[in-house]
Amino acid sequence: MSITIPAPADFHVHLRQGAISELIVPHVRKGGFDLAYVMPNLKPPVTSTEQALKYKADLERIDPNVEYLMTLYLSPELTPDEIKKASAAGVVGVKSYPRGVTTNSDGGIESYETYYPIFAAMEEVGMVLNLHGEVPSDASANIHVLNAEVQFLPHLFKIHEAFPKLRIVLEHATTRAAIEAVKKCGPTVGCTITAHHLALIVDDWAGQSWNFCKPVAKYPDDRSALQDVIKEGHPRFFLGSDSAPHPPEAKSTSSPTHACAAGVYTSPILLPFVAELLESFGALDKLEGFVSSNGRNFYQRPFSSQKVGRESVTLKKIAPRKVDEAYALGDHKLVPFWAGKEISWELA
């Protein structure tokens, strides 16, 4: 059995910077994808058109056969004029990180109203607002990693109401409440779902650092909601892997004063893994929509506009085979999600 998918696209991926990118970037194509929507949370974050274009050139030098869609980091330095400049240069979106909720988000935002002039400029030029849909934990208000996404949803509604023509993506949804919230919004609001959140629940990361990511995986009913909206074939829900590599020593260890790194690394196995997951809950017939057409339609990125990459990718069914335990290049090593576990699909 084989499946051919037209031009798969990953609409949320972390490709890091520096020497480790030499290991990470080729894994986009290894995992079956030739379009990568690149996150801007570097050190320092990507806050200007010049930074975005330089970063894109660095990625293209490593692998020129992928289309990299670049984003800016929502920050006080950003201005409406910079938005217009970025759009003219081909930058596609702006990513919002609430302060301190995930990797390299210390410069994240605290008030969305402050950025309404930015959102108005984005709406005008057609850029996309990508929202990390959590609020910072606050014990005094009973806000924590398990309800931070639900607590964020009123902000989504408020921004959408203020800017109904602004395309907004609620990133890496993990709860039934988030799925229902996006459905309630108009056609300009979309939502990414990761592969790992289709596999994990809270029990899987409690005590297991390799499954720990932010937002954290939630309850079985929440996972069912993610799976069900894919089975439904809803056109505004699509893949954004949030593949987020960390060195094994940062991922596997913590101390009394420092937590383990949040993020899982799915890029090298992404398309076969997504096929494996969708097959497991009876949605293999929705694979093309989820990994290609839904996201491309929302982002207005048909393959016909893409200058590089494969027109299609074929998966074939195989006897179950274990995922590689690690990938290495020089002094750098990365352990993929699902390492040592079996997958029964591979790229032809």
Side-chain angles (χ1 to χ4, degrees):
M1 182 180 177
S2 66
I3 305 172
T4 298
I5 303 296
D10 183 357
F11 283 102
H12 184 133
V13 63
H14 297 270
L15 299 179
R16 305 308 191 206
Q17 65 199 115
I20 198 168
S21 286
E22 302 278 351
L23 173 58
I24 296 166
V25 173
H27 286 172
V28 175
R29 274 178 60 84
K30 179 179 176 63
F33 290 79
D34 295 341
L35 184 149
Y37 193 79
V38 184
M39 293 296 106
N41 57 329
L42 306 183
K43 289 185 177 181
V46 179
T47 57
S48 71
T49 304
E50 288 76 14
Q51 286 176 288
L53 294 180
K54 181 184 182 304
Y55 187 27
K56 183 177 183 180
D58 291 342
L59 300 174
E60 289 176 335
R61 176 186 56 78
I62 299 171
D63 188 348
N65 297 308
V66 172
E67 181 175 17
Y68 304 98
L69 302 185
M70 308 309 291
T71 61
L72 300 181
Y73 189 110
L74 187 63
S75 64
E77 294 85 358
L78 207 51
T79 65
D81 284 343
E82 187 67 23
I83 288 295
K84 295 173 184 177
K85 179 180 177 181
S87 177
V91 177
V92 176
V94 175
K95 179 67 183 293
S96 162
Y97 292 93
R99 189 181 301 276
V101 299
T102 192
T103 304
N104 296 345
S105 65
D106 292 340
I109 69 169
E110 295 178 343
S111 170
Y112 290 95
E113 288 81 358
T114 303
Y115 293 96
Y116 275 18
I118 301 297
F119 299 162
M122 293 174 62
E123 187 177 51
E124 179 183 342
V125 300
M127 288 181 76
V128 176
L129 175 62
N130 303 98
L131 296 174
H132 182 116
E134 293 185 290
V135 298
S137 293
D138 181 355
S140 66
N142 194 37
I143 297 173
H144 45 79
V145 294
L146 290 173
N147 68 7
E149 183 172 278
V150 174
Q151 295 286 341
F152 175 85
L153 297 176
H155 295 292
L156 170 65
F157 290 136
K158 188 173 182 180
I159 296 169
H160 179 45
E161 182 179 7
F163 302 96
K165 295 182 180 179
L166 174 65
R167 279 179 295 155
I168 299 170
V169 176
L170 182 65
E171 298 291 344
H172 41 53
T174 62
T175 59
R176 181 173 294 277
I179 299 300
E180 295 304 323
V182 171
K183 285 183 173 182
K184 289 178 183 176
C185 292
T188 55
V189 177
C191 181
T192 57
I193 296 174
T194 76
H196 56 276
H197 286 128
L198 294 172
L200 301 174
I201 60 171
V202 59
D203 288 11
D204 296 312
W205 59 262
Q208 174 47 277
S209 63
W210 293 101
N211 293 338
F212 180 64
C213 57
K214 287 189 175 178
V216 300
K218 304 301 193 304
Y219 302 113
D221 179 68
D222 294 305
R223 182 177 63 180
S224 293
L226 306 184
Q227 296 174 350
D228 287 346
V229 79
I230 294 172
K231 290 169 67 175
E232 177 186 333
H234 196 294
R236 289 188 284 118
F237 293 82
F238 44 89
L239 176 68
S241 71
D242 194 20
S243 179
H246 294 277
E249 61 272 18
K251 233 357 240 167
S252 62
T253 60
S254 62
S255 73
T257 58
H258 193 275
C260 68
V264 301
Y265 189 39
T266 52
S267 278
I269 62 166
L270 188 55
L271 190 58
F273 184 49
V274 172
E276 184 88 5
L277 292 169
L278 266 59
E279 184 180 36
S280 74
F281 57 85
L284 194 57
D285 62 317
K286 301 301 191 296
L287 182 63
E288 178 180 332
F290 182 59
V291 304
S292 181
S293 56
N294 291 357
R296 285 184 175 277
N297 290 341
F298 186 87
Y299 274 93
Q300 301 169 5
R301 289 279 165 172
F303 179 75
S304 59
S305 70
Q306 194 166 316
K307 297 179 181 179
V308 297
R310 295 161 286 191
E311 186 172 349
S312 64
V313 176
T314 298
L315 289 167
K316 64 179 181 180
K317 189 77 170 176
I318 60 171
R321 190 166 69 185
K322 289 184 178 180
V323 171
D324 292 335
E325 294 284 354
Y327 302 98
L329 181 67
D331 294 333
H332 296 287
K333 179 181 176 182
L334 293 170
V335 175
F337 188 64
W338 226 244
K341 297 181 181 179
E342 293 182 339
I343 290 179
S344 56
W345 291 91
E346 69 175 9
L347 298 184

